[in-house]
Amino acid sequence: NAGVTQTPKFRILKIGQSMTLQCTQDMNHNYMYWYRQDPGMGLKLIYYSVGAGITDKGEVPNGYNVSRSTTEDFPLRLELAAPSQTSVYFCASRGNGGNQPQHFGDGTRLSIL
Amino acid sequence: AQSVTQPDIHITVSEGASLELRCNYSYGATPYLFWYVQSPGQGLQLLLKYFSGDTLVQGIKGFEAEFKRSQSSFNLRKPSVHWSDAAEYFCAVGVNAGGTSYGKLTFGQGTILTVHP
């Protein structure tokens, strides 16, 4: 029972490099979310998706892009990595009916040097 | 827009002592409220949730929380803390997912719990 799977778990990037953080879920959830977590700041929503082909900005979208070509996958793209993007990134998904809670992956710890 | 405040950044308790973690929210209507726990290096695990009905909700690992509308609070409690409860705890508020919120959550800053033996 995999749930929400994020890869990689750790990554170090140089300033200006690009990378994609992968997120996949096997629960057939329409709703998916990307957060970043910084110490003492809680989780901030970067982007979210309500279904394949539909995405929208969250609270802190600058410097990131997303796509949602399938129900299962919701990758997060950093085009020009900056030190301010050093953070822990969490992907989450949520069931379709009623007021379902979000289910989280284990996170990707990203350092930009 | 909704907001969540967890007034205590860090709490230390002795093993076996009782615990209460505070959470205050700001939202114009009845919110949907959640408590999540995060162990070091892990993702967030749902402890409990409140949507409607009984204002005292039971969760996993012996935790409970009480929704108090008059105080805009949703405090988390446990009668006897175990060393394995040491973690960071997040309160979150959601709005009616049937509207345009799409189930988005707003999180508090988190409370780090340390348990002394």
Side-chain angles (χ1 to χ4, degrees), chain B residues 1-116:
Chain B
Q2 66 270 24
S3 66
V4 179
T5 300
Q6 294 179 244
D8 303 306
I9 297 173
H10 195 170
I11 284 183
T12 300
V13 300
S14 297
E15 191 169 17
S18 63
L19 172 70
E20 183 170 32
L21 302 183
R22 296 184 291 165
C23 173
N24 295 101
Y25 68 90
S26 173
Y27 181 58
T30 300
Y32 303 130
L33 295 160
F34 305 84
W35 274 101
Y36 284 87
V37 60
Q38 183 183 32
S39 298
Q42 300 295 312
L44 277 70
Q45 180 184 22
L46 180 70
L47 282 177
L48 47 79
K49 59 188 178 185
Y50 171 79
F51 293 147
S52 64
D54 194 346
T55 57
L56 183 64
V57 294
Q58 303 296 321
I60 62 172
K61 305 184 179 185
F63 286 92
E64 67 178 25
E66 186 172 12
F67 170 61
K68 293 186 177 180
R69 184 190 304 274
S70 62
Q71 299 177 18
S72 298
S73 69
F74 188 57
N75 294 349
L76 182 71
R77 301 193 294 248
K78 187 170 185 178
S80 178
V81 171
H82 188 263
W83 65 266
S84 61
D85 294 324
E88 190 163 15
Y89 292 79
F90 292 93
C91 181
V93 61
V95 300
N96 187 342
T100 58
S101 65
Y102 304 115
K104 291 181 288 183
L105 296 179
T106 298
F107 285 85
Q109 302 92 321
T111 298
I112 297 171
L113 174 65
T114 299
V115 181
H116 281 319

